[in-house]
Amino acid sequence: VEIGKKEFNWQERKISRDFPNGKIRAAGMAVTMQGSGIAGVDTAAASIKLNEVGFFTLNVGATDMGQGSDTVLSQIAAEVLDVPIEKIIIKSADTDLSPYDPGAYASSGTYVTGNAVILACEKMKEEILKEGSYQLKLKEEALQYNKGGVISSCGKTLTLDELSSKSISFERQNQITTTATFGSPTSPPPFIASFAEVEIDKVTGEVKVIDFLSVVDCGTLINPNLAKVQVEGGIAQGIGLALYEEILYQKNGKVINDDFMQYNIPARKDIGTSIKVLFNDSYEKTGPYGAKSVGEVVINTPAPAITDAIDRAIGLRIRELPVRSEEILMYLIKKQQ
């Protein structure tokens, strides 16, 4: 909240200001929180296999719908195994083959499935050390894990390529695969504070969002670029919820606007708003490398921030969405009488 107030120039912009062109502006803000999976309910599993040519296949049930979970989970696996991300081949969301995952809901991807990936990869490191012990004829205590391979105190080494090819050879016949499951008794919440400046046309009642800022605490960022665009996408959806989207019915219950020619979902060009995203980094000790979720919390603040700005601008507290220009116009006319 403090970061956003300073960055948004809150003290000045929250005040209702009239302009000569018949417009009025003010800013509003909202704070919300969400969760990272559902505590005591969400459980996810991950499996990882060492292939014979020096790369890993990561198998998860999490679904990448465009939010980037395949990328983030691959990054987590690569970090644990200390290998380039190119060494991780991810297979996801095949219910006949994938390990269990509750689905892409409850902002559980990075937090729940990410923790399962860490556990599976830690087991893989242990199995690689066992395999290295067999191949080098040394005790495990004399070996250290090294970028997918092993090194020993006496100078003997096995690279990832060497170890993987020998483990599956006719002599050894040991396909290394590990699986782990994670479920958490806690659901650490991400937080978001959003600030919106709106412009209201006193002649038509039309509302436009002029500027929008969100400051997000989602723990330590695994992939800053993906997190940023996910927040921006959620803001766009939230603005659509506040100002654009409404399902209309006929008297007999039939939906009038039942296709996307009539039902308005704003694209980035439609919004035309200056959207800025900042992150307040923190460290969540139960999360994968300190991360919390960022999936759903980002859509929660635009509507209350916009309606708060409208209230500060003209004194009308709107309780139903979407905001209708005719409601604002009738309020302004009545106010002038």
Side-chain angles (χ1 to χ4, degrees):
V1 172
E2 293 301 324
I3 292 170
K5 285 171 64 177
K6 182 178 179 181
E7 185 71 24
F8 204 72
N9 195 16
W10 169 252
Q11 294 300 330
E12 292 183 18
R13 298 173 82 175
K14 70 178 182 179
I15 301 168
S16 180
R17 290 154 286 141
D18 277 294
F19 289 83
N21 60 357
K23 308 288 180 68
I24 186 170
R25 288 187 183 185
M29 69 88 65
V31 180
T32 66
M33 56 183 280
Q34 187 75 27
S36 300
I38 301 176
V41 175
D42 279 349
T43 302
S47 296
I48 190 159
K49 177 180 69 173
L50 175 59
N51 295 285
E52 69 278 6
V53 288
F55 64 91
F56 298 91
T57 298
L58 176 63
N59 203 354
V60 296
T63 305
D64 194 326
M65 307 174 294
Q67 80 277 30
S69 64
D70 280 358
T71 301
V72 168
L73 296 175
S74 296
Q75 284 183 264
I76 291 172
E79 183 73 17
V80 178
L81 295 169
D82 193 21
V83 297
I85 195 170
E86 292 80 10
K87 292 286 187 180
I88 308 295
I89 309 300
I90 189 166
K91 303 291 183 182
S92 60
D94 183 335
T95 53
D96 287 333
L97 303 173
S98 299
Y100 177 77
D101 194 277
Y105 84 106
S107 301
S108 61
T110 297
Y111 182 76
V112 179
T113 310
N115 272 320
V117 169
I118 288 178
L119 294 175
C121 291
E122 291 291 353
K123 287 184 178 180
M124 173 58 69
K125 291 167 68 175
E126 294 174 3
E127 292 301 315
I128 286 175
L129 285 174
K130 291 179 182 178
E131 179 62 25
S133 174
Y134 174 86
Q135 292 186 20
L136 293 175
K137 309 304 180 187
L138 296 171
K139 292 183 179 181
E140 286 184 49
E141 293 77 12
L143 302 178
Q144 288 184 328
Y145 179 88
N146 181 51
K147 299 183 183 300
V150 294
I151 57 175
S152 70
S153 56
C154 63
K156 291 184 178 181
T157 64
L158 282 171
T159 66
L160 174 60
D161 290 348
E162 291 169 339
L163 185 141
S164 62
S165 61
K166 290 179 181 179
S167 70
I168 205 67
S169 67
F170 292 108
E171 176 190 352
R172 178 62 172 146
Q173 301 174 9
N174 179 32
Q175 175 74 77
I176 304 176
T177 302
T178 59
T179 300
T181 306
F182 176 82
S184 177
T186 62
S187 179
F191 301 94
I192 183 168
S194 293
F195 300 78
E197 183 177 30
V198 303
E199 182 179 81
I200 300 171
D201 190 325
K202 292 189 288 184
V203 176
T204 64
E206 181 186 16
V207 178
K208 288 184 178 179
V209 180
I210 302 301
D211 201 4
F212 200 97
L213 167 68
S214 283
V215 185
V216 189
D217 170 13
C218 56
T220 301
L221 297 171
I222 301 292
N223 189 309
N225 287 334
L226 283 178
K228 182 174 183 291
V229 297
Q230 194 162 20
V231 176
E232 291 173 345
I235 291 170
Q237 286 182 292
I239 292 173
L241 169 71
L243 300 179
Y244 290 80
E245 300 181 44
E246 182 179 17
I247 299 176
L248 302 173
Y249 299 92
Q250 295 179 351
K251 289 183 178 180
N252 62 4
K254 184 181 184 300
V255 177
I256 297 172
N257 52 342
D258 58 356
D259 61 57
F260 289 116
M261 294 297 290
Q262 284 80 37
Y263 186 86
N264 295 319
I265 296 177
R268 184 67 183 85
K269 187 177 179 181
D270 297 321
I271 294 175
T273 301
S274 171
I275 294 177
K276 186 173 183 179
V277 177
L278 298 175
F279 291 97
N280 179 34
D281 285 344
S282 62
Y283 186 87
E284 172 52 49
K285 63 182 181 180
T286 67
Y289 293 103
K292 297 186 283 188
S293 71
V294 74
E296 292 170 288
V297 70
V298 295
I299 199 174
N300 296 339
T301 49
I306 289 168
T307 55
D308 183 52
I310 293 170
D311 184 33
R312 290 176 184 275
I314 61 175
L316 173 63
R317 175 61 70 176
I318 293 175
R319 302 290 184 184
E320 294 183 3
L321 298 176
V323 174
R324 296 175 178 83
S325 57
E326 55 267 33
E327 180 182 356
I328 291 176
L329 180 59
M330 294 306 296
Y331 172 81
L332 291 173
I333 291 173
K334 186 177 180 180
K335 192 175 180 181
Q336 292 174 355
Q337 292 176 349

